[in-house]
Amino acid sequence: MPPKKRNSGTAQSKEAKSAESVSADKKESPELSFKKHRDKDAEFVTLCKSLHVTDLVCDRAWALWKTVQESMDEIADSQKRVWGACLFVSGTDADVACFTVTQVLKAVSLNVKQFVALVWKLDVNLDTISTKVNSALTRLEKKYDVSLALYQRFEKFMINVSVSFFPRERKTMRSCWTMFLLAKGRALQMEDDLVISFQLLLCTLELFIKRCPPDLLQPLYKSAISKVQSPPTRTSRRSQSKAKSKPLEPEVDLQLLKTLCNENDCNAEEVKNVYQTSFSAFLDSLDLSKSPDFPQAKDLNQQYEEHYLKSRDIDGRLFFDGDETVFAPKVKISHVERTPKKNQPDDDVLIPPQTPIRAAMTSIQQLRGDLTSSGDQPSTNLATYFKNCTVDPMQAVLSRLETLEQAFSQRFGLAVGPRCIVLGCQRFKLGVRLYYKIMEAMLKSEEKRLSVQNFSKLLNDSTFHTSLLACALEVVMATYGESSFKTGGYNHDAAGDPVETDLCFPWILDVVDLPAFDFYKVIESFIKAEPTLSKDIVKHLETCENLIMERIAWRTDSPLFELLKQEHGGGAADQVETPASFSQPLQHNHTAADLYLSPMRPGLRVLPPESPATPGSQAPSQPLTQPAGQTPRLPKSNSLSLFYKKLYRLAYSRLQILCSYLLSSHPELEPIIWTLFQHTLQHEHELMRDRHLDQLMMSAMYAICKVKSVDLRFKTIVTAYKNMPNTNQETFKHVLITEGHYDSIIVFYNQVFMQKLKTNILQYASTRPPTLSPIPQIPRSPYKFPNSPLRVPGSNNVYISPPEKLTHVPGYHDSSMLVSIGESFGLSNRFQKINQMVNSSERSFKRTLDLGSAPKPLKRLRFDVDGQDEGDGSKSGGDSTLIQKLAEMSSTRSRMQEQKMKEDAESKKE
């Protein structure tokens, strides 16, 4: 049954009634009895009863707690807090609606950030977090960050708009915030969408200002209200009821809305569309569209309560109450001298970091500004290129855009919210402008390079157009913050079904039905053709390219496999990329035309000899001659060759990172592991089908260590792997074994990898091992952005970075010591401080590895089979030093995360 109506009261009474409502609504099981759970700690059962958990969740959480106890020598947090984390994990895994996140936080006295860090800590030490829990925790953290940013902007706005804060006004402001939370919850399926949520907030504020007494408003907003919009008095309302002919007030005050948008660097047209679609529908649902009054607090609280309990999420009203579960406690940070200070007085002022909303609005403004001169139709120059083609592609281009706009906007609405289709159309139109702009720049470059004006083959290639448009749309989505890599490119749930509420890459490829291998061909040319792209967007596209090479291009239906089949069809001598070229620099001079029109082997988009060539055909540019009876040897595919060049370099760079974590004492093994890894990618590429590059990397590392008698267990590899950048737990937990069957990477190694490569692996144990593969030359990013900041070896807190990168240093805060080489440095004792920092870090690092008592090693991971650690089923005689090192790494990392959390909280409060 729905929760009872209530007035806004204390947070404690809210939570008590909320717990009752969840329990009564779900009726999962009878109330827990102490007798049934007498094998458990009485305080634990009391906690379970207070959260109304089911017997199933209680049993699972207790089993998880026992595992935690066995695996840790010392538990930093109190038992009750860890119990809360175990209940959250168990309830999420079982998909049982017992409690909300806020109710757990209240029960164990934690704020959101502390709670999230605690649950992640369980995963670092035990690997207990399933894919479902991982997704829920990531979504919770993102939604909290968005809600916090929105509330901070709301609070700032209320200070600027109102001239007083009497209790009556505070009550109205609280109703305004609650109304926004309710509007966001009803209008959006993706409540962690920062931009649309902020636009909804502006719509709510527009309504608040219109309904607010003028004497309480600051002059800017008082004057911004249209005269027809002035709040009617009681007398005027009576007159309105008598004068039926008097027109009703408009739904939105455009003058006021524009003022709000100008003050918040937001596009007024976009906010107007949000108002007229999503927000107006929300007002209609409350019967408030034409009401001159602000809604009653009691009604808003009741309706938001229902939404909050259904979502089992954070109670957003607590932001307004300043509740400790959503705000970190104020921490005193000792003063640390700030360095350096430049000689110029004007440079002494510290520029505050951008807020998330300000950063998002700035990025959107920059994108829209760059596209101001671009139209929704091809420019005159682009139309001329179309007319110069043997077959004019104009009609095909326009028809394709019309079809894809409908598909994109419908899928966008399905993911974000049913009334957001209009917003999807807006995003698409921006993408079309960028698509036309980049296409024109590419053609100008090709004309200069080739001295030709007829690009009929390229411009009549549907795949090229779809790829270019998809890349433009991905840039737009990333600019609006709607595409990221929080899922690691895994856009499906635990059962493998697509997740429609996730717009992260490669969502766009599914929408336009484009293979990832075709999308990769356009990325480099796209970046080079648009010099105004921000560094963040360039990095985003580079990460898209890496995800394609790592996993997405290896899906079963990918054209990559057909290309490989054709490439290897000519015999063993045909290699997509010869090892001899590894030591050569990677040449980034391939254009989109080179890749989309690259030669193909027979049977792949090549016309038979008797067929007349058409402008859009992919036939070889030169006639082929060969001795009678021999298979024609066509030129290699440029796109496949470049793909493998980049793949090898990416594969080796990731192997280097993992070896630096695990095999620093065995440097001779890295080239041997690389040789096996490279051999697998070249000769056994079928092992990559529906799998991930890193799965082969970890398997190759384990195999070589095994034949070389180096004690390295799979769970040690996995623990280190999780510390690498751009990793996802599904990579080692959800590996394809046979069609439709997935298991852990250990099972993959035993049943697939080792069986396929056993003979080759054993060769490395002989006195005459295979010739080592050359090491690829790892170039600087082709997009000219250096990797920064760089950590000083042996130190956890000393970094070297260009000045503009300082705010991206892990653990950076306003009190950090900053040193700018080449600028005035100040007192000489600053150098001594830095030396002490580096030296103390090195001594501490060595002491923890060599002299200190190592923490209890990790017991077992969930995917270990029958308690066995080794991939082949054998047992290890003892815990390796590597595990102890990794445990130290994890412990240090956790402490750094906790410290950073406190510092971030303090900086936000200030």
Side-chain angles (χ1 to χ4, degrees), residues 851-908:
L851 304 176
S853 57
K856 193 172 182 179
L858 312 182
K859 289 289 186 179
R860 62 176 285 196
L861 300 181
R862 177 178 293 186
F863 57 63
D864 284 343
V865 182
D866 298 328
Q868 297 168 351
D869 296 322
E870 299 297 343
D872 58 3
S874 62
K875 301 267 186 174
S876 174
D879 296 311
S880 68
T881 305
L882 290 171
I883 295 180
Q884 297 176 10
K885 290 183 180 181
L886 286 169
E888 290 287 352
M889 288 169 55
S890 298
S891 177
T892 302
R893 184 185 180 205
S894 297
R895 288 197 301 271
M896 290 176 65
Q897 288 176 336
E898 291 174 359
Q899 180 63 27
K900 184 177 184 298
M901 179 190 70
K902 293 179 181 178
E903 293 164 355
D904 289 345
E906 178 63 21
S907 62
K908 288 178 181 177

Coordinates of all heavy atoms in Angstrom, one line a residue, residues 851-908:
L851 N 60.6 -4.8 5.8 CA 60.8 -5.0 7.2 C 59.4 -5.1 7.9 O 59.4 -5.8 8.9 CB 61.5 -3.8 7.8 CG 62.9 -3.5 7.1 CD1 63.5 -2.2 7.7 CD2 63.8 -4.7 7.3
G852 N 58.4 -4.4 7.5 CA 57.2 -4.4 8.2 C 56.5 -5.7 8.1 O 56.7 -6.5 7.3
S853 N 55.6 -5.9 9.1 CA 54.7 -7.1 9.1 C 53.7 -6.9 8.0 O 52.8 -6.0 8.1 CB 54.1 -7.4 10.4 OG 53.4 -6.2 10.8
A854 N 53.7 -7.7 7.0 CA 52.7 -7.6 5.9 C 51.3 -8.0 6.4 O 51.1 -8.8 7.2 CB 53.1 -8.5 4.7
P855 N 50.3 -7.3 5.9 CA 48.9 -7.6 6.2 C 48.6 -9.0 5.8 O 49.2 -9.6 4.9 CB 48.1 -6.6 5.5 CG 48.9 -6.1 4.4 CD 50.3 -6.2 4.9
K856 N 47.5 -9.6 6.4 CA 47.1 -10.9 6.0 C 46.8 -11.0 4.5 O 46.1 -10.2 4.0 CB 45.9 -11.3 6.8 CG 45.5 -12.8 6.8 CD 44.4 -13.1 7.8 CE 44.0 -14.5 7.8 NZ 43.0 -14.8 8.8
P857 N 47.4 -11.9 3.8 CA 47.2 -12.0 2.3 C 45.7 -12.3 2.0 O 45.0 -12.8 2.8 CB 48.1 -13.1 1.9 CG 48.3 -14.0 3.1 CD 48.3 -13.0 4.3
L858 N 45.4 -12.0 0.8 CA 44.0 -12.2 0.3 C 43.7 -13.7 0.3 O 44.5 -14.5 -0.1 CB 43.8 -11.7 -1.1 CG 44.3 -10.2 -1.3 CD1 44.0 -9.8 -2.7 CD2 43.7 -9.3 -0.3
K859 N 42.6 -14.1 0.9 CA 42.3 -15.5 1.0 C 42.0 -16.2 -0.3 O 42.7 -17.1 -0.8 CB 41.1 -15.7 2.0 CG 41.5 -15.4 3.4 CD 42.4 -16.5 4.0 CE 42.6 -16.2 5.5 NZ 43.5 -17.2 6.1
R860 N 40.8 -15.8 -0.9 CA 40.4 -16.4 -2.2 C 39.5 -15.5 -2.8 O 38.8 -14.7 -2.2 CB 39.8 -17.8 -2.0 CG 38.5 -17.8 -1.2 CD 37.8 -19.1 -1.2 NE 37.2 -19.4 -2.4 CZ 36.3 -20.4 -2.5 NH1 35.9 -21.1 -1.5 NH2 35.7 -20.6 -3.7
L861 N 39.4 -15.5 -4.1 CA 38.5 -14.7 -4.9 C 37.3 -15.6 -5.2 O 37.4 -16.8 -5.2 CB 39.1 -14.2 -6.2 CG 40.4 -13.4 -6.0 CD1 40.9 -12.9 -7.3 CD2 40.1 -12.2 -5.1
R862 N 36.2 -14.9 -5.5 CA 34.9 -15.6 -5.7 C 35.1 -16.6 -6.8 O 34.4 -17.6 -6.8 CB 33.8 -14.6 -6.0 CG 32.5 -15.2 -6.3 CD 31.4 -14.2 -6.6 NE 31.1 -13.4 -5.3 CZ 30.2 -12.5 -5.2 NH1 29.4 -12.3 -6.2 NH2 29.9 -11.9 -4.1
F863 N 35.9 -16.2 -7.8 CA 35.9 -17.1 -9.0 C 37.0 -18.3 -8.8 O 37.1 -19.1 -9.7 CB 36.2 -16.4 -10.3 CG 37.5 -15.5 -10.3 CD1 38.7 -16.1 -10.1 CD2 37.4 -14.2 -10.4 CE1 39.9 -15.4 -10.1 CE2 38.6 -13.4 -10.4 CZ 39.8 -14.0 -10.2
D864 N 37.7 -18.3 -7.7 CA 38.5 -19.5 -7.5 C 37.7 -20.8 -7.5 O 36.7 -20.8 -6.9 CB 39.3 -19.4 -6.2 CG 40.4 -18.4 -6.3 OD1 40.8 -18.1 -7.4 OD2 40.9 -17.9 -5.3
V865 N 38.2 -21.8 -8.1 CA 37.5 -23.1 -8.2 C 37.9 -24.0 -7.1 O 39.1 -24.4 -7.0 CB 37.8 -23.8 -9.6 CG1 37.0 -25.0 -9.7 CG2 37.4 -22.8 -10.7
D866 N 37.0 -24.4 -6.2 CA 37.2 -25.3 -5.1 C 38.4 -24.9 -4.3 O 39.2 -25.7 -3.8 CB 37.5 -26.7 -5.7 CG 36.3 -27.3 -6.4 OD1 35.1 -26.9 -6.0 OD2 36.4 -28.0 -7.4
G867 N 38.5 -23.6 -4.1 CA 39.6 -23.1 -3.3 C 41.0 -23.2 -3.9 O 42.0 -22.9 -3.3
Q868 N 41.1 -23.5 -5.2 CA 42.3 -23.7 -5.8 C 42.7 -22.3 -6.4 O 41.9 -21.6 -7.0 CB 42.3 -24.7 -6.9 CG 42.0 -26.1 -6.4 CD 41.6 -27.1 -7.5 OE1 41.4 -26.7 -8.6 NE2 41.5 -28.3 -7.2
D869 N 44.0 -22.0 -6.3 CA 44.5 -20.7 -6.7 C 45.0 -20.8 -8.2 O 44.9 -19.9 -8.9 CB 45.6 -20.2 -5.8 CG 45.1 -19.9 -4.4 OD1 43.9 -19.4 -4.3 OD2 45.8 -20.1 -3.5
E870 N 45.7 -21.9 -8.5 CA 46.3 -22.0 -9.8 C 45.4 -22.2 -10.9 O 44.4 -22.9 -10.7 CB 47.4 -23.1 -9.7 CG 48.5 -22.9 -8.7 CD 49.3 -21.7 -9.0 OE1 49.3 -21.2 -10.1 OE2 50.0 -21.2 -8.1
G871 N 45.7 -21.7 -12.1 CA 44.8 -21.9 -13.2 C 44.7 -23.4 -13.6 O 43.6 -23.8 -14.1
D872 N 45.7 -24.1 -13.4 CA 45.6 -25.6 -13.8 C 45.1 -26.5 -12.7 O 45.2 -27.7 -12.8 CB 47.0 -26.0 -14.3 CG 48.1 -25.9 -13.2 OD1 47.7 -25.4 -12.1 OD2 49.3 -26.2 -13.5
G873 N 44.7 -25.9 -11.6 CA 44.2 -26.7 -10.5 C 45.2 -27.1 -9.4 O 44.8 -27.6 -8.4
S874 N 46.5 -26.7 -9.6 CA 47.4 -27.1 -8.6 C 47.4 -26.1 -7.4 O 46.9 -25.0 -7.5 CB 48.8 -27.1 -9.2 OG 49.2 -25.8 -9.6
K875 N 48.0 -26.5 -6.3 CA 48.0 -25.7 -5.1 C 49.4 -25.0 -5.0 O 50.4 -25.5 -5.4 CB 47.8 -26.6 -3.8 CG 46.4 -27.3 -3.9 CD 45.4 -26.5 -3.2 CE 44.1 -27.2 -3.1 NZ 43.1 -26.5 -2.3
S876 N 49.4 -23.9 -4.3 CA 50.7 -23.2 -4.1 C 51.2 -23.5 -2.6 O 50.4 -23.7 -1.7 CB 50.5 -21.7 -4.3 OG 51.7 -21.1 -3.9
G877 N 52.5 -23.6 -2.5 CA 53.0 -24.0 -1.2 C 52.9 -22.9 -0.2 O 52.9 -23.1 1.0
G878 N 52.8 -21.6 -0.6 CA 52.7 -20.5 0.4 C 52.3 -19.2 -0.3 O 52.2 -19.2 -1.5
D879 N 52.1 -18.2 0.5 CA 51.7 -16.9 -0.1 C 53.0 -16.3 -0.7 O 54.0 -16.2 -0.1 CB 51.1 -16.0 1.0 CG 49.8 -16.6 1.5 OD1 49.0 -17.0 0.6 OD2 49.7 -16.7 2.7
S880 N 52.9 -15.8 -1.9 CA 54.0 -15.2 -2.6 C 54.2 -13.7 -2.1 O 53.3 -13.1 -1.5 CB 53.8 -15.1 -4.1 OG 52.7 -14.2 -4.4
T881 N 55.4 -13.3 -2.3 CA 55.8 -11.9 -1.9 C 54.9 -10.9 -2.7 O 54.6 -9.8 -2.3 CB 57.3 -11.6 -2.2 OG1 58.0 -12.6 -1.5 CG2 57.6 -10.2 -1.7
L882 N 54.6 -11.3 -4.0 CA 53.8 -10.4 -4.8 C 52.4 -10.1 -4.2 O 52.0 -9.0 -4.3 CB 53.6 -11.1 -6.2 CG 54.8 -11.2 -7.1 CD1 54.5 -12.1 -8.3 CD2 55.3 -9.8 -7.5
I883 N 51.8 -11.1 -3.5 CA 50.5 -10.9 -2.9 C 50.7 -9.9 -1.8 O 49.8 -9.0 -1.6 CB 49.9 -12.2 -2.4 CG1 49.6 -13.1 -3.6 CG2 48.7 -11.9 -1.6 CD1 49.0 -14.5 -3.1
Q884 N 51.8 -10.0 -1.0 CA 52.0 -9.1 0.1 C 52.2 -7.7 -0.5 O 51.7 -6.7 0.1 CB 53.2 -9.5 0.9 CG 53.0 -10.9 1.5 CD 54.3 -11.3 2.2 OE1 55.2 -10.6 2.4 NE2 54.3 -12.6 2.7
K885 N 52.9 -7.5 -1.6 CA 53.1 -6.2 -2.2 C 51.8 -5.6 -2.6 O 51.5 -4.5 -2.4 CB 54.1 -6.3 -3.4 CG 55.5 -6.6 -3.0 CD 56.4 -6.6 -4.2 CE 57.8 -6.9 -3.9 NZ 58.7 -6.9 -5.1
L886 N 51.0 -6.5 -3.3 CA 49.7 -6.0 -3.7 C 48.8 -5.6 -2.6 O 48.0 -4.6 -2.7 CB 49.0 -7.1 -4.6 CG 49.7 -7.2 -6.0 CD1 49.1 -8.5 -6.7 CD2 49.4 -6.0 -6.9
A887 N 48.9 -6.3 -1.5 CA 48.0 -6.0 -0.3 C 48.5 -4.6 0.2 O 47.6 -3.8 0.6 CB 48.2 -7.0 0.7
E888 N 49.8 -4.4 0.2 CA 50.3 -3.0 0.6 C 49.8 -2.0 -0.4 O 49.4 -0.9 0.1 CB 51.8 -3.0 0.6 CG 52.4 -3.9 1.7 CD 52.2 -3.2 3.1 OE1 51.8 -2.1 3.1 OE2 52.5 -3.9 4.1
M889 N 49.8 -2.3 -1.7 CA 49.4 -1.3 -2.7 C 47.9 -1.0 -2.4 O 47.5 0.2 -2.5 CB 49.5 -1.8 -4.1 CG 51.0 -1.9 -4.6 SD 51.2 -2.8 -6.1 CE 50.0 -2.0 -7.1
S890 N 47.1 -2.0 -2.2 CA 45.7 -1.8 -2.0 C 45.4 -1.0 -0.7 O 44.6 -0.1 -0.7 CB 44.9 -3.1 -1.9 OG 45.1 -3.8 -3.1
S891 N 46.2 -1.3 0.3 CA 46.0 -0.5 1.6 C 46.4 0.9 1.4 O 45.6 1.8 1.9 CB 46.9 -1.2 2.7 OG 46.8 -0.5 3.9
T892 N 47.5 1.2 0.8 CA 47.9 2.6 0.5 C 46.9 3.3 -0.3 O 46.5 4.5 -0.1 CB 49.3 2.6 -0.2 OG1 50.2 1.9 0.6 CG2 49.7 4.0 -0.4
R893 N 46.4 2.6 -1.4 CA 45.4 3.2 -2.2 C 44.1 3.6 -1.5 O 43.6 4.6 -1.7 CB 45.1 2.2 -3.4 CG 44.1 2.8 -4.4 CD 43.8 1.7 -5.4 NE 42.9 2.2 -6.4 CZ 42.1 1.4 -7.1 NH1 42.0 0.1 -6.9 NH2 41.3 1.9 -8.0
S894 N 43.7 2.7 -0.6 CA 42.5 3.0 0.2 C 42.7 4.2 1.1 O 41.8 5.0 1.2 CB 42.1 1.8 1.1 OG 41.8 0.6 0.2
R895 N 43.9 4.3 1.8 CA 44.1 5.4 2.6 C 44.1 6.7 1.8 O 43.6 7.8 2.3 CB 45.4 5.3 3.4 CG 45.4 4.2 4.4 CD 46.6 4.3 5.4 NE 47.9 4.2 4.7 CZ 48.5 3.1 4.5 NH1 48.0 1.9 4.9 NH2 49.7 3.1 3.8
M896 N 44.7 6.7 0.6 CA 44.7 7.9 -0.2 C 43.3 8.3 -0.7 O 43.0 9.5 -0.7 CB 45.6 7.6 -1.5 CG 47.1 7.5 -1.2 SD 48.0 7.1 -2.7 CE 47.7 8.6 -3.6
Q897 N 42.5 7.3 -1.0 CA 41.1 7.6 -1.4 C 40.4 8.2 -0.2 O 39.6 9.2 -0.4 CB 40.4 6.3 -1.8 CG 40.9 5.8 -3.2 CD 40.3 4.5 -3.6 OE1 39.8 3.8 -2.7 NE2 40.2 4.2 -4.9
E898 N 40.5 7.7 1.0 CA 39.8 8.3 2.1 C 40.3 9.7 2.4 O 39.5 10.6 2.7 CB 40.1 7.4 3.4 CG 39.4 6.0 3.3 CD 39.8 5.1 4.4 OE1 40.6 5.6 5.3 OE2 39.3 4.0 4.5
Q899 N 41.6 9.9 2.3 CA 42.1 11.3 2.5 C 41.6 12.3 1.5 O 41.2 13.4 1.8 CB 43.7 11.3 2.5 CG 44.3 12.6 2.8 CD 43.9 13.2 4.1 OE1 43.7 12.5 5.1 NE2 43.9 14.5 4.2
K900 N 41.6 11.8 0.2 CA 41.1 12.7 -0.9 C 39.6 13.0 -0.7 O 39.2 14.1 -1.0 CB 41.3 12.0 -2.2 CG 40.9 12.8 -3.4 CD 41.3 12.1 -4.7 CE 41.0 13.0 -5.9 NZ 39.6 13.4 -6.0
M901 N 38.9 12.0 -0.2 CA 37.4 12.2 0.0 C 37.2 13.3 1.0 O 36.4 14.2 0.9 CB 36.8 10.9 0.5 CG 35.3 11.0 0.8 SD 34.7 9.5 1.7 CE 35.5 9.7 3.3
K902 N 38.0 13.3 2.1 CA 37.9 14.3 3.2 C 38.3 15.7 2.6 O 37.6 16.7 2.8 CB 38.8 14.0 4.4 CG 38.3 12.8 5.1 CD 39.3 12.5 6.3 CE 38.8 11.2 7.0 NZ 39.8 10.9 8.1
E903 N 39.3 15.7 1.8 CA 39.8 17.0 1.2 C 38.8 17.5 0.2 O 38.5 18.7 0.2 CB 41.2 16.8 0.6 CG 42.3 16.5 1.6 CD 43.5 15.9 0.9 OE1 43.5 15.7 -0.3 OE2 44.5 15.7 1.6
D904 N 38.2 16.7 -0.6 CA 37.2 17.1 -1.6 C 36.0 17.7 -0.9 O 35.4 18.7 -1.3 CB 36.8 16.0 -2.5 CG 37.9 15.6 -3.5 OD1 38.9 16.4 -3.6 OD2 37.8 14.5 -4.1
A905 N 35.6 17.0 0.2 CA 34.4 17.4 1.0 C 34.7 18.8 1.6 O 33.8 19.7 1.5 CB 34.1 16.4 2.0
E906 N 35.9 19.0 2.1 CA 36.2 20.3 2.7 C 36.2 21.4 1.7 O 35.7 22.5 1.9 CB 37.6 20.2 3.4 CG 38.0 21.5 4.0 CD 37.1 22.0 5.1 OE1 36.3 21.1 5.7 OE2 37.1 23.2 5.5
S907 N 36.8 21.1 0.5 CA 36.9 22.2 -0.6 C 35.5 22.5 -1.1 O 35.2 23.7 -1.4 CB 37.8 21.7 -1.7 OG 37.2 20.5 -2.3
K908 N 34.6 21.5 -1.1 CA 33.2 21.8 -1.6 C 32.5 22.7 -0.6 O 31.7 23.6 -1.0 CB 32.5 20.5 -1.9 CG 32.9 19.8 -3.1 CD 32.2 18.5 -3.3 CE 32.7 17.7 -4.5 NZ 32.0 16.4 -4.7

